[in-house]
Amino acid sequence: MIPDATSHTPASQKAADQDAADQDAAGQTTYAAAGVDVEAGDRAVELMKSAVAQTHNAHVVGGFGGFAGLFDVSWLKDFRKPYLATSTDGVGTKVAIAQALDIHDTIGYDLVGMVVDDIIVCGARPLFMTDYIACGKVVPERIADIVRGIAEACASAGVALVGGETAEHPGLLGVDEYDVAGAATGAVEADDLLGPERVNTGDVLIGLPASGLHSNGYSLVRRIIADAGWALEREVPEFSRALGEEILTPTRVYTGDLAAVLDARPGAVHAMSHVTGGGLSANVARVIPPGTLARMHRSSWEIPPVFTVLGDLGQVPQADRERTWNLGVGMVLAVDPAAAEAVLAALPGSWLLGEVTADDGALAADPYYVQGAKGVDGGAAILLD
């Protein structure tokens, strides 16, 4: 593995396949002959160092190059009851689009968004992140592009990138193949924890626009494109650009904007939902209490063309579209109605998506009614015209 875990540094070259590095009875077998290029790993580290360093703040201890990333949390002693929050995720099959187009500096935004925005929704501030890149062959410029995107997204969210690992896996992955994953840790005062316990009937639901598909539903996207025989280079009038450019649009990272709202308006936001796999209703149902219903109105926003074009091209049923893609809504906030105008003003592009009501069961038979999603015994949600 090149370079070492938690540091993106060649301080310790760990074997991706130990057997391949051992000496053979018939002669010496080198690591390079097994397909692992140590020098390429070193070069990748040099190319990424400055981008990673720009995410570091006064809390990062030791800088770049240690075996473990260190972060000073002595300030947590001032919390009455600090909670740590953690999240891990990947980008899924969207990496196949990046590889096909040979564009690698946007996929980092997808990774960071999938991880840190799952932390901010509970009211915690993401503090630091690590990443993992597995590839068939280390191409220094490509690895550096990926990490640069991760670092830029971390900087936009105020998160320190304290380390990572790049692992070269010849024979397991093709020379142009890679996958990425990441994990982050955050902290929140117990009294400031957001969630279903704070949500009340009468709360206003505010939607924040997505930048596009984000990082969910790409297995469906790729199947639609393949079945239709569309090339990624195909110019699509509705997009005013090529298909590949549109579907590679990086995920919007909400953490910085949301942290500012939470700081400026304590108590205004009761819960937040990051709209990822499962679609809008399933993710909103997770963050409201049993006995309540999130009523969201399709007429309150315009669905971006990418969802309509792909949905129509693949003849995807409406129900499948709504439980697979975000349809243009990347984040939902349940807000005290008295603070709704102030929150809307603080988040450009946001809008009134709906409201939280008591669930009397009258809509339970509706095919768009969702309750108890993602294993959570929470409230219910529905999309209404």
Side-chain angles (χ1 to χ4, degrees):
M1 297 181 185
I2 302 171
D4 190 55
T6 73
S7 61
H8 278 311
T9 171
S12 173
Q13 304 298 350
K14 299 191 294 182
D17 183 348
Q18 187 61 48
D19 291 340
D22 289 342
Q23 286 190 344
D24 184 280
Q28 292 185 333
T29 302
T30 66
Y31 213 5
V36 177
D37 189 340
V38 172
E39 292 183 359
D42 292 349
R43 173 63 177 157
V45 170
E46 290 303 315
L47 292 174
M48 70 177 72
K49 282 176 68 174
S50 62
V52 174
Q54 289 176 16
T55 73
H56 290 184
N57 52 41
H59 298 295
V60 177
V61 179
F64 193 92
F67 282 91
L70 299 174
F71 196 86
D72 181 1
V73 292
S74 57
W75 49 275
L76 288 179
K77 67 180 183 295
D78 297 327
F79 280 43
R80 185 188 66 80
K81 187 177 181 181
Y83 287 163
L84 293 180
T86 185
S87 176
T88 186
D89 210 338
V91 175
T93 61
K94 189 173 185 176
V95 296
I97 307 299
Q99 291 160 20
L101 294 173
D102 196 25
I103 297 174
H104 312 285
D105 59 349
T106 63
I107 210 75
Y109 280 83
D110 298 295
L111 180 63
V112 173
M114 290 299 100
V115 174
V116 304
D117 286 343
D118 275 0
I119 289 178
I120 192 70
V121 295
C122 68
R125 302 307 191 276
L127 303 176
F128 56 85
M129 182 169 174
T130 58
D131 64 73
Y132 177 80
I133 305 169
C135 60
K137 178 179 176 59
V138 170
V139 178
E141 293 76 14
R142 182 163 62 205
I143 298 299
D145 278 350
I146 296 169
V147 176
R148 184 170 64 252
I150 295 171
E152 289 174 357
C154 280
S156 76
V159 177
L161 182 60
V162 297
E165 169 82 7
T166 301
E168 194 168 27
H169 290 166
L172 181 63
L173 294 169
V175 295
D176 292 322
E177 293 180 333
Y178 63 81
D179 198 9
V180 296
T185 298
V188 60
E189 176 68 80
D191 293 339
D192 297 329
L193 189 68
L194 304 183
E197 299 78 10
R198 291 179 177 263
V199 176
N200 304 300
T201 57
D203 278 2
V204 170
L205 297 175
I206 291 176
L208 275 66
S211 57
L213 289 156
H214 284 184
S215 296
N216 301 105
Y218 273 79
S219 292
L220 176 59
V221 170
R222 291 167 58 238
R223 176 63 182 270
I224 291 169
I225 293 170
D227 287 351
W230 280 23
L232 293 175
E233 296 77 18
R234 181 189 182 107
E235 293 292 327
V236 181
E238 293 89 342
F239 305 157
S240 298
R241 56 178 173 173
L243 171 65
E245 292 180 82
E246 179 69 25
I247 63 177
L248 197 60
T249 301
T251 299
R252 176 179 173 182
V253 180
Y254 297 94
T255 290
D257 292 338
L258 293 176
V261 169
L262 295 179
D263 289 341
R265 297 281 174 178
V269 179
H270 294 162
M272 292 191 279
S273 175
H274 188 197
V275 184
T276 55
L280 183 55
S281 293
N283 282 290
V284 172
R286 302 165 66 183
V287 301
I288 63 175
T292 63
L293 175 64
R295 295 172 176 259
M296 297 171 287
H297 305 283
R298 296 185 184 94
S299 59
S300 68
W301 85 98
E302 185 175 346
I303 295 176
V306 65
F307 301 103
T308 304
V309 169
L310 291 173
D312 292 350
L313 181 65
Q315 300 182 48
V316 181
Q318 184 65 26
D320 266 56
R321 301 184 196 196
E322 294 187 355
R323 63 173 171 245
T324 304
W325 297 324
N326 64 60
L327 297 183
V329 187
M331 187 74 70
V332 177
L333 281 57
V335 176
D336 182 337
E341 286 191 17
V343 172
L344 286 166
L347 295 168
S350 62
W351 73 95
L352 290 176
L353 174 66
E355 61 283 327
V356 178
T357 67
D359 187 4
D360 60 8
L363 295 174
D366 191 294
Y368 293 99
Y369 177 96
V370 177
Q371 194 276 328
K374 302 280 186 175
V376 176
D377 186 20
I382 190 168
L383 280 164
L384 304 167
D385 291 331

